[in-house]
Structure formats: structure tokens, C-alpha cells
Amino acid sequence: MQTNRQSARVSLAFLIASAITLGMLALAIVLVAQSYRGMEEAKVTAAASTARQLAVSVDDRIRAITQPPSTALAVLRHDPLVQQSSLAGRLERLPVIADVLLSSDIVSAVYAGYDTGDFFLFRKLRSTDSKRFTDIPAQSRYLLQSLEVVNGKRHGVWRFYDADLKLLEHRPLASYDYDPRQRPWYRIARHNDRLQLSSPYVFFTTQETGLTLSRHAQAAPGTVLGVDVTVTDLGTKLGELRQTPGSRIAIVSARGELLADTDQNARPDPVIEKTFNDGPAAGSHRFHHDGRDWYGINEPLQTLEDEQLSIVIAIPSDELLADVWAALAHQTAIAVGLALILLLMGWFLGRQVGKPLEQLTDRVGHLSRFRFDVPIRTDSRIREASELSIALDDMARTIRSFQNIATVLNRGQDLNQLLRDILDQIITILSQQRGAIYLYDSHEQVLELAVNQDLNVPNQLPDIDQQVDDKDLLRQLRRTIGGHPVFAVLRNRNKKLIGALMIEMEHGSHTRLSEDLIVFVEEVAGSAAVAIETRELIESQQALLDGIIQLVANAIDAKSPYTGGHCERVPKLAQMLAAAAEEATEGVFSEFRMTDDERYEFRLAAWLHDCGKITSPEYVVDKAVKLETLYNRIHEIRTRFEVLHRDAEITCLNARLAGADGQQAEQKKCAEQARLQEEFTFLATANLGSEAMSEDDAERIRAIGAQTWQRHFSDRIGLSDDEQQALAGLQEPSLPAAEPLLADKPTHLRSWGDRIPPVRADDPRNIWGFDMALPEYAYNRGELHNLTIPHGTLTDEERFRINEHIVQTICMLDALPLPDRLARVPRLAGTHHERMDGKGYPHGLHGEDMSIPERIMAVADIYEALTAVDRPYKQGKPLSEALAIMDRMARTGHIDQAVFQLFVSSGIYRRYAEEHLSPSQIDAVNESLFMKP
């Protein structure tokens, strides 16, 4: 659809709101920018001030580090330790040195270097020292490192002490390559009377960073005393003074040596180096490093003036200004909020001016997009806009009503509901409340009331001629029905009368009903008439289909008295069980539900579940004895016995004529005839198939059958074409011919020929997934073959013919052009002989392959077969026995146990029995026996 649109134009509401909002945004941007600059400067100034305070704090900390050790050295330089020349003498002073170590946490070691090269060091051990000193004895708190030079040889020893200065281990050292006289702390203090403080360095033994305070002894100038002071805690202190999580603080000498930093590094990291080297000696600067902006601050320290120490601080820009950005975001949010408020105010003012026209334009746009369900009418103080909205709203409502009627006509499934919906929609169009629809009965020539909504009208309008003219019919209706109704005659495509529509015009004046609206109602009524006709045709066709299906089922039942009524009773039973499954609220059926289409599909499948029996040979279905085909062939065999009986009589007479002993001949005849009577009785009993046949009985039958009799007549004349083909290629014996009493002759066999049913899994014609064993022959009517059947009366070939009915059921139903909603009818009808354990036929399905309706069909089919009372070959079983059999079948994987237990617990078995079984079959049933898991 092509549309013509004008170029886009700016609305009045947008102009007003935009002007106010843009002005507010410009002012907000200026204020926020100025605020950011001020806060940034304040933050940097505050950081510099903090750095100066930090420098003062670090100065105090360094003084605190160096003061206690210097005092200790002043005392120790007068101690007898300085004059001791042996280890034993020096060990006597350990308590004094231990007191010095305990006096301060930062003093790690006290030692003395002698001008002889001797070295005496007493050190505190911490918990972390186990990593530096291997194999430390347990409970060690002190370590004495002693070096003595005797005759030019160095003798080193380590001695470990506990907290009470008890010796734990004396450990001589193989080599101790250390000369205190070569160390800077010794050489400087040896020739200087003042206290000496070393530059920060890494201690030889502990590899810690620290300072050494040294001074020569008063009484022995060749002896220098030293105290090691660690500055590790100074880095920890610096870490506590960080302004932001990412800040880095370090104490660096003028030579760039690192005394301490927040990350406990041995060397300055790149950020500290860049801050120290590129920035001013005192003050702050901004720089960029590794993709990040930093603020760097350098502040000189007053302590250790010879080292010219400085505190170096590097702060990430984003962290330093985080509060600034947060404040900026807060101010921006306030500015945006004010702008939005002003925008809304401007929009509101503009909308008050242009809202009615804009609403009307928008709603009319829905009509162009075929949205007739949106109300068009708007409230406006502009008269023209208000009147236009009313007119457009009436138009949309009319079109919407027409759409609703079209939807009803197209989607109506049930005729009564269709009529009710049509009446409701037309009443709504006319803004009325009451109406009725009559349908025409051509056989009775009356209008029958089909749908009535609150009208007092007769149920029938008699004497209506099919050929009556519309005007005459309307006059007749007006004479019969009072009030102020408007009528519309309903006619089908062939202009035949199918009914009449009437609406009572009680709201407003009926004289104001426009001619256009009457024409519209008549046109809608015409469409309704076509829909009604279509619905009637569909329902009549469905009724015809149901009738044909029931006709086929009844014909199958009538074909054999052994299955009379089976095809009618199974659908009833199956539908009762399916309804019970749908009503279940717990267990495996709690979520099982069927739609109306699925119920109809299931009902058709139940009616047609045995339609394949129409192809089953009647004599096979009705075979009551083993030798039965179209007749019971025991009569042929009896005739042969009659021949042998007479042969015995003739043999006796001929013997007597030949002069033999008459009494002896008579006795032999009687014995032969008695044997024949007994053997025939045995064969006749075996023919019944009422008992299982043992192998001994089968061998006796073969022995009896081996007897011969003389045939004097040709067996090749008077035969059908089928019999002639069976004898083709066989030479006719000369007469008289000896024939066995019982035989399996080639003429008893019938091959499949080109009519092999597609039931094997490897058959390319098998598109249905059948998996059945196919007998070698289509029929085997051999007398020995039939009489020696181990169980029942059917041979394997005949058993296949019986089972084949389900194959034919599926093939026949699959050939029908069934609609999609009935597509599963062949499957539902063809799986009631499957078993839960996969041993059923024709597909060999397992329980998990079968749907609930399929399992229900199997249970219904078996229960009907067990209890049927109209089968001449057996008695219908009582309820308790039938259920006991089915319970065994459920527990051995024949039928679904859940469906069977639902069948019992719902009482369906008894409700069915009360309607279809004889009273003698309805006995007491202990349902609990069948509900065990």
C-alpha cells in the first residue's frame, strides 16, 4: 500500500520544551565546569599539604628509630664486653645485650667488631626468621654469631638460645668469611669519636633493609660497637598513610636509593622514579605513565641530612579526584533533573495547546494501519476537532463490529455457539439488548427457535413454505411477533431459506433506524447465512463420517459371531478410561489432558481399531477345530476310516470264501475295526485343540497317518484353477493308488507369490515400521501339520493371518486422506496389540514408545475380550478373574500397570460391567490386591 506523507515538522510542545531545556543545560554545563576546576585545585592542594604533614611524621619516625639505639650504644661503649678477648668472657655479657634487644622492637642485632678481626653479634629471632636460618632449634629466641681469629685462622660458631638465655644448640661453622674491620660501619666509627649512622643498606645476614649505628668503645678504641635497626616497619607506616588505595609512598635518598616504600620493594618502582626524577625537589606535578594519569609530590626530610632523604608520593588521578567526579556527577544529576523538570513543564504547556490535534492524528493513524480496536474520540475544547473525533470513532466502531462478525463467521466450530455469537455481534452493532435467530426445517416446514436472548417469542413458526418470498415472509413474521423488531431473512448460496434473524429495537426510536444500517444488517445476515450453511454442511459430513465408521465397525462385528459387539464396546470403554485419566490430579496422569480434536481422534481410532479384520479370512477368525477350513475336514478323515473299516469287513469275507477259519477271521476283523474306532476317536479329540498336545501324542498321530488306503478315482479332475496350479509339475500316480491316511501334501501349501505383506523390518515397502515374523507359506492346510498343533487350533500361518489384521488396519487408515487433526488415527488404532516389554506386534514397541491413549486402548481391548458374553467358543469371565488375569499381564510387561490401576481405582471396570455384562459375572472384587506397586 502506497502512502503519501508530508515532510516532518516540529511540534509546538517540542519547541517550548526544547527552548527552556537548552537554556538550562547551557547554564548547568558552565557551572559544572567551573566547579570541577575548583575542586580539582583544592584536592591537589590538600594532597600537597598532606605530603608536608607526612614528611614531618616520617622525620619524627626516623628520629624514633635512631634515638633508642644511640642511647644503648652510649651505655655499651663503657661495658666490659669491649675488652673481652675470648668467647667465654663475652658470653658473660649476654644478659646485658639481651636487655638492649628487648628494649626496642626495631633493634634487630647488637654486635662488636674487634681490631683482632673477632666479631661478636647477638640477634633477636622472629617467627619469620625460619626462612633465613635453616634448621633453627624449636623455642629459639636469640642467635649468637661469633667469629674468633686464632693463629690467623677464623673460627665461626652459631649458638641458639631460648627466651631465658638457655643454650639450645652450639653449631660450629665450617667457614665464616667475614671481617668486621672491612665493613663501612667499623672503619668510619674506628677513627671518629662521634656516633655514626650509616646509609640504608641490605644487612649481610638477614637481607633486610636498615640502618647501622656504630661507635668505638671508650676503653678500647680498636673495638667498635654496632646496632642494626630495621626500617621495614617504616614501609608499613607509610602504607597506613596512603590517601587512596592506589597511592604509592617511598623514602628515597638523593642518590635514588630506596629506604622504604608502601610495597616493601628493594628498588624504587617506575612510578616512584618518574615522580622523583621528573618532578620539582619540593612540590607537586602531574604526569602520565603506562596509560594512567598521576599526581606526583616530592617533600625533603629534615633527618639524616647527609643522606638528603625525600618523601615521594604518587597518587592516581582517578582515585585522587574520585570525590570530585562523584560531586560532579551529583551536580550533573541535579542539573539534568532540573532540565527534565523544565522539559516536562515546557512539554506540558505545549501539550495543552496541541494535545487534542496530536491525539486525533495519532488515533487516525491506527485506522490507516487497520487497527480498528483503538478508540478515536478525544476530549477537546476545539469544536471541529471534537466533532471530527466523534465521527471517526463511530466509523472505527462500525468497522470493528464488522471485523468481529467476520471473525465469528470464519472461526465458529459449534453451530449453536456460532449462532449465539452472530446474534451478540449484531445486537452490539445496533446498540440493543435482545434478539433471536430461527432456523428453517424443510421437512416440517417450520422455523425452529435456535437462539433466543431475552425475547418472549414462540419456539416454532409453522406453515412456512420453502419458496416463500422475502417480503411475504417478513409480513408473516410481523403478524406473529409483536414489538418493534427488525427482521432479516437468512438464505444460503442457492437462495434457499435457512432461517430468520430478528432484533428488538427498544433503545431509541425505531423510526430512526437508517436505511443504510438496514442494508448493512441484511448484508451481514447474508454472510451469517452462508456461515451457518457451511457449519451445517461440516457437521452433517462429520455425522456421515461417524455413521460410515460405525457401519464398518458393525459390519466387522456382524461378520463373525465370535466378535459380535467388540468394535462397539471397545470405544465406550476406552473413552471412559481416557476421561478418568484426564480427571486425575496426581500421579503419572496429573498432567494428561486432551483437546476436543484429540478426543474426537481417539474416538475414531477406537471405533476403527479392528477395521483390518474385514480382510481376515472368516474361517480363520472362526476356526474352532484344527482341521477346519471352510468346513471341518474331520469328515474326510472319518470317510477314510470308513473305507478302512469296510476293507476289514471285505478282507474277513474273502478269507472265509477262501476256506479260512471263520471264527478266526471274524476275530481279526473285529480287532481291526475296534482299533480303527479307537484311533479315529483319538484323532477327533485331538482335532478339538482344547488341551496342549504332547510330543508323544504328535508321534502317535503321525503313526496313525502312515496307514494307507486305496484310491481308485483320479484326484486331478473337477479342480479349480488354484488347485490345478498347486498340482502343476506333479505326476499323477497310476490307479489304484495307495494314499496315506493322513498327509501333508504339496497341494496343501499356498505360497505368498507376489502378495507378500510388507511386515518384515528389512522390507523396503515397509514404510510403517512393522517388525513381524513372516511364515514361509501363506497357508499350510496339511492334515498332519494342523492335527499336531501344540496349543489351540491355529497354525503359525493362521496365527499370522489373525495378527495381520492390525497391519491391514494401519495400512487402510493410512491410505485415507485424513486431515491434520486426525493424522494420528492410524497410529492410535494400530498399537493396541503392542506390549510394554516390546514383545507385541506389529511394531514391537516398548512402553516408553507408546502414548497414554495408546496404552489405554490396549487395556480396553483386553478387558472387553476377557469379559465378552457373546462369543460362542468361550464363557465371559467374571470381574475378579478378568482383573486377576490383567494384573498378571501388567506385572509381566504385557499392559501398562499405571493405566490398569487407574482402570481399577476409578471403578470403570464395574460401571462398564453393569451396562454390558451378565449379572452372574459381576462378583465381589478386592481392589487393593491390584493396587500394589
Side-chain angles (χ1 to χ4, degrees):
M1 180 180 67
Q2 185 177 1
T3 60
N4 296 320
R5 298 183 180 272
Q6 295 182 346
S7 60
R9 299 177 185 239
V10 179
S11 70
L12 181 60
F14 179 76
L15 285 175
I16 296 174
S18 298
I20 298 174
T21 304
L22 289 176
M24 179 60 191
L25 287 177
L27 178 61
I29 291 172
V30 173
L31 293 177
V32 169
Q34 291 298 322
S35 175
Y36 173 74
R37 289 180 179 275
M39 286 189 291
E40 181 185 22
E41 292 179 0
K43 268 291 186 180
V44 174
T45 301
S49 176
T50 301
R52 287 191 290 272
Q53 294 175 7
L54 181 58
V56 174
S57 176
V58 171
D59 280 334
D60 294 341
R61 183 62 178 170
I62 293 175
R63 292 190 189 98
I65 290 173
T66 59
Q67 187 62 41
S70 63
T71 303
L73 281 178
V75 174
L76 289 175
R77 69 193 296 256
H78 301 283
D79 193 86
L81 174 68
V82 302
Q83 296 178 339
Q84 298 295 328
S85 60
S86 66
L87 176 62
R90 294 165 187 164
L91 291 176
E92 294 176 358
R93 307 306 298 166
L94 284 184
V96 176
I97 301 174
D99 290 340
V100 174
L101 291 174
L102 293 175
S103 65
S104 176
D105 291 337
I106 62 175
V107 176
S108 63
V110 176
Y111 47 88
Y114 299 88
D115 53 4
T116 61
D118 287 3
F119 180 66
F120 184 84
L121 181 147
F122 199 52
R123 176 185 308 282
K124 284 190 298 188
L125 294 178
R126 303 182 181 91
S127 59
T128 58
D129 287 336
S130 60
K131 299 178 181 177
R132 302 189 184 100
F133 305 102
T134 59
D135 301 328
I136 298 178
Q139 307 300 322
S140 295
R141 292 295 180 268
Y142 298 99
L143 168 63
L144 172 64
Q145 298 173 235
S146 175
L147 176 65
E148 289 182 290
V149 180
V150 180
N151 298 324
K153 294 184 179 180
R154 299 176 181 274
H155 298 279
V157 65
W158 281 10
R159 295 168 65 91
F160 294 91
Y161 294 88
D162 63 9
D164 297 327
L165 296 182
K166 291 181 180 179
L167 180 63
L168 300 177
E169 181 183 346
H170 179 88
R171 183 184 301 175
L173 300 179
S175 63
Y176 198 164
D177 189 13
Y178 183 82
D179 189 347
R181 295 170 297 181
Q182 304 301 319
R183 304 300 292 178
W185 57 269
Y186 181 91
R187 288 188 285 108
I188 295 173
R190 174 73 176 79
H191 302 290
N192 198 321
D193 193 50
R194 294 175 55 196
L195 176 69
Q196 299 300 311
L197 179 64
S198 71
S199 301
Y201 72 101
V202 178
F203 294 153
F204 175 80
T205 303
T206 65
Q207 298 300 307
E208 293 180 307
T209 301
L211 303 172
T212 295
L213 284 78
S214 58
R215 194 171 185 181
H216 68 76
Q218 179 70 28
T223 300
V224 176
L225 296 167
V227 175
D228 283 346
V229 179
T230 61
V231 293
T232 304
D233 66 330
L234 188 57
T236 304
K237 182 66 175 179
L238 293 178
E240 296 173 355
L241 298 176
R242 288 179 177 176
Q243 290 180 269
T244 68
S247 295
R248 302 179 187 181
I249 306 175
I251 299 175
V252 183
S253 69
R255 296 185 300 276
E257 295 173 338
L258 181 67
L259 176 62
D261 81 340
T262 53
D263 296 327
Q264 306 297 332
N265 293 319
R267 295 178 53 83
D269 66 25
V271 175
I272 293 297
E273 285 185 343
K274 195 171 184 64
T275 303
F276 181 72
N277 295 327
D278 296 350
S284 63
H285 70 288
R286 184 168 181 167
F287 65 92
H288 186 81
H289 176 74
D290 197 19
R292 195 175 189 185
D293 289 331
W294 296 79
Y295 284 97
I297 304 172
N298 292 327
E299 283 293 332
L301 298 177
Q302 302 303 316
T303 55
L304 303 180
E305 295 178 357
D306 295 341
E307 298 298 322
Q308 297 182 3
L309 299 178
S310 296
I311 185 166
V312 181
I313 303 174
I315 307 175
S317 173
D318 54 348
E319 294 183 2
L320 179 63
L321 301 179
D323 294 341
V324 175
W325 285 111
L328 184 65
H330 182 66
Q331 293 176 359
T332 303
I334 294 175
V336 171
L338 291 174
L340 289 176
I341 293 173
L342 293 175
L343 177 64
L344 293 175
M345 291 177 60
W347 187 262
F348 176 75
L349 294 175
R351 292 287 289 171
Q352 293 304 306
V353 178
K355 180 179 178 180
L357 293 178
E358 186 177 342
Q359 286 182 341
L360 188 59
T361 302
D362 179 65
R363 294 181 182 181
V364 171
H366 288 291
L367 297 182
S368 67
R369 295 190 294 273
F370 308 103
R371 290 290 308 276
F372 305 108
D373 57 337
V374 178
I376 304 299
R377 186 169 181 175
T378 60
D379 294 330
S380 175
R381 296 184 181 277
I382 303 174
R383 182 184 61 189
E384 290 79 3
S386 178
E387 291 178 353
L388 178 60
S389 70
I390 293 173
L392 290 173
D393 191 63
D394 290 342
M395 179 188 71
R397 187 169 58 85
T398 301
I399 297 175
R400 186 166 62 252
S401 298
F402 184 78
Q403 282 184 318
N404 292 337
I405 291 178
T407 301
V408 168
L409 297 181
N410 292 330
R411 297 181 182 176
Q413 297 293 324
D414 178 70
L415 179 58
N416 291 331
Q417 186 62 45
L418 175 66
L419 295 174
R420 191 173 296 106
D421 291 341
I422 290 173
L423 181 62
D424 290 342
Q425 292 300 325
I426 296 178
I427 288 176
T428 301
I429 291 177
L430 298 180
S431 300
Q432 302 299 318
Q433 294 181 350
R434 299 192 296 164
I437 294 179
Y438 284 89
L439 293 183
Y440 183 68
D441 185 342
S442 59
H443 298 288
E444 300 294 333
Q445 292 192 334
V446 297
L447 283 172
E448 292 277 359
L449 183 62
V451 180
N452 182 20
Q453 186 164 318
D454 301 329
L455 276 182
N456 185 16
V457 293
N459 293 330
Q460 274 191 356
L461 299 177
D463 302 326
I464 304 297
D465 188 1
Q466 175 75 54
Q467 306 299 325
V468 65
D469 182 76
D470 285 358
K471 293 182 179 180
D472 294 336
L473 179 58
L474 291 176
R475 281 195 293 270
Q476 186 174 354
L477 292 173
R478 290 192 180 98
R479 287 195 301 269
T480 306
I481 300 174
H484 302 90
V486 58
F487 294 97
V489 179
L490 305 178
R491 293 188 180 274
N492 63 16
R493 297 176 180 85
N494 298 322
K495 303 301 181 183
K496 291 184 178 181
L497 178 66
I498 64 170
L501 166 71
M502 61 169 294
I503 306 296
E504 179 64 31
M505 304 299 296
E506 55 189 344
H507 294 283
S509 174
H510 65 282
T511 59
R512 295 180 59 188
L513 190 62
S514 67
E515 199 65 33
D516 293 337
L517 187 56
I518 293 176
V519 172
F520 174 74
V521 171
E522 290 178 348
E523 290 178 352
V524 172
S527 299
V530 173
I532 292 170
E533 178 195 23
T534 301
R535 192 67 248 166
E536 286 181 333
L537 288 174
I538 292 174
E539 291 189 356
S540 63
Q541 288 176 354
Q542 184 164 311
L544 177 62
L545 175 62
D546 290 346
I548 292 174
I549 289 172
Q550 294 183 25
L551 178 67
V552 171
N554 292 334
I556 294 171
D557 284 342
K559 177 183 176 183
S560 170
Y562 287 10
T563 59
H566 175 76
C567 292
E568 179 181 355
R569 290 190 292 266
V570 168
K572 293 181 181 179
L573 188 56
Q575 289 178 91
M576 291 169 66
L577 190 49
E582 285 194 85
E583 294 171 0
T585 57
E586 58 185 17
V588 297
F589 304 104
S590 59
E591 298 182 1
F592 173 68
R593 299 294 182 271
M594 300 173 72
T595 64
D596 290 341
D597 284 345
E598 289 172 336
R599 292 188 192 95
Y600 182 67
E601 181 183 53
F602 181 70
R603 184 169 69 87
L604 290 188
W607 273 99
L608 293 170
H609 78 284
D610 271 349
C611 67
K613 285 184 177 178
I614 201 169
T615 66
S616 300
E618 186 174 350
Y619 82 89
V620 175
V621 176
D622 296 346
K623 188 178 182 185
V625 293
K626 294 181 178 181
L627 290 174
E628 184 173 359
T629 53
L630 295 178
Y631 67 99
N632 189 352
R633 291 181 293 162
I634 193 67
H635 303 299
E636 288 187 12
I637 294 172
R638 186 177 62 249
T639 301
R640 296 172 197 166
F641 271 89
E642 292 285 357
V643 170
L644 293 178
H645 189 279
R646 283 162 177 73
D647 284 349
E649 186 76 32
I650 293 171
T651 300
C652 176
L653 292 176
N654 287 336
R656 293 177 68 178
L657 290 174
D661 185 352
Q663 184 177 1
Q664 185 177 4
E666 186 68 24
Q667 288 177 351
K668 184 177 180 181
K669 178 199 72 170
C670 291
E672 179 70 11
Q673 290 178 339
R675 181 184 62 80
L676 291 174
Q677 289 286 350
E678 190 275 332
E679 288 179 346
F680 177 76
T681 301
F682 172 72
L683 293 179
T685 302
N687 186 41
L688 297 177
S690 57
E691 297 180 1
M693 176 168 288
S694 65
E695 184 58 31
D696 291 340
D697 289 343
E699 285 299 326
R700 185 182 179 192
I701 290 175
R702 295 186 186 97
I704 294 172
Q707 301 177 70
T708 59
W709 60 281
Q710 293 294 316
R711 177 172 60 83
H712 296 80
F713 298 90
S714 173
D715 60 356
R716 304 299 175 97
I717 58 177
L719 302 182
S720 66
D721 291 340
D722 179 60
E723 291 172 307
Q724 292 283 1
Q725 291 176 7
L727 291 170
L730 298 177
Q731 185 177 0
E732 181 178 5
S734 58
L735 298 176
E739 293 278 356
L741 187 60
L742 300 172
D744 289 339
K745 298 181 179 180
T747 55
H748 290 146
L749 301 176
R750 293 294 184 270
S751 65
W752 289 107
D754 57 356
R755 299 175 64 100
I756 300 176
V759 297
R760 290 178 296 195
D762 59 352
D763 193 327
R765 299 171 300 153
N766 182 5
I767 62 175
W768 301 275
F770 301 137
D771 189 6
M772 297 175 64
L774 183 70
E776 182 180 359
Y777 296 100
Y779 293 104
N780 186 341
R781 300 190 178 100
E783 295 162 345
L784 290 173
H785 181 71
N786 279 263
L787 280 173
T788 57
I789 295 172
H791 302 280
T793 63
L794 297 178
T795 64
D796 291 341
E797 294 79 11
E798 291 164 340
R799 176 65 62 188
F800 174 80
R801 284 296 187 182
I802 293 292
N803 294 347
E804 189 191 16
H805 83 274
I806 201 66
V807 173
Q808 296 301 324
T809 294
I810 295 174
C811 294
M812 291 166 60
L813 295 178
D814 191 56
L816 295 177
L818 296 171
D820 290 343
R821 66 190 184 98
L822 303 179
R824 294 194 308 153
V825 166
R827 165 89 182 197
L828 292 172
T831 53
H832 61 279
H833 286 300
E834 300 289 352
R835 293 173 48 134
M836 300 300 103
D837 57 7
K839 298 179 181 179
Y841 65 91
H843 300 95
L845 300 177
H846 288 79
E848 59 268 19
D849 302 324
M850 299 174 63
S851 64
I852 290 176
E854 291 173 300
R855 303 178 195 185
I856 288 174
M857 195 85 76
V859 170
D861 185 71
I862 291 173
Y863 183 73
E864 194 285 329
L866 288 174
T867 58
V869 296
D870 53 1
R871 305 197 178 180
Y873 64 91
K874 74 174 189 68
Q875 295 287 331
K877 297 187 180 298
L879 296 185
S880 57
E881 184 179 352
L883 293 178
I885 293 172
M886 295 180 70
D887 182 60
R888 289 194 296 272
M889 296 174 75
R891 297 183 186 280
T892 56
H894 192 125
I895 60 177
D896 185 72
Q897 188 168 16
V899 174
F900 171 68
Q901 291 182 344
L902 175 67
F903 179 64
V904 175
S905 62
S906 62
I908 292 174
Y909 74 94
R910 186 170 295 277
R911 295 203 304 272
Y912 171 84
E914 291 171 351
E915 183 177 352
H916 296 284
L917 304 189
S918 63
S920 61
Q921 291 178 268
I922 305 175
D923 58 354
V925 174
N926 185 357
E927 295 181 357
S928 63
L929 297 176
F930 310 121
M931 303 305 294
K932 298 177 182 178

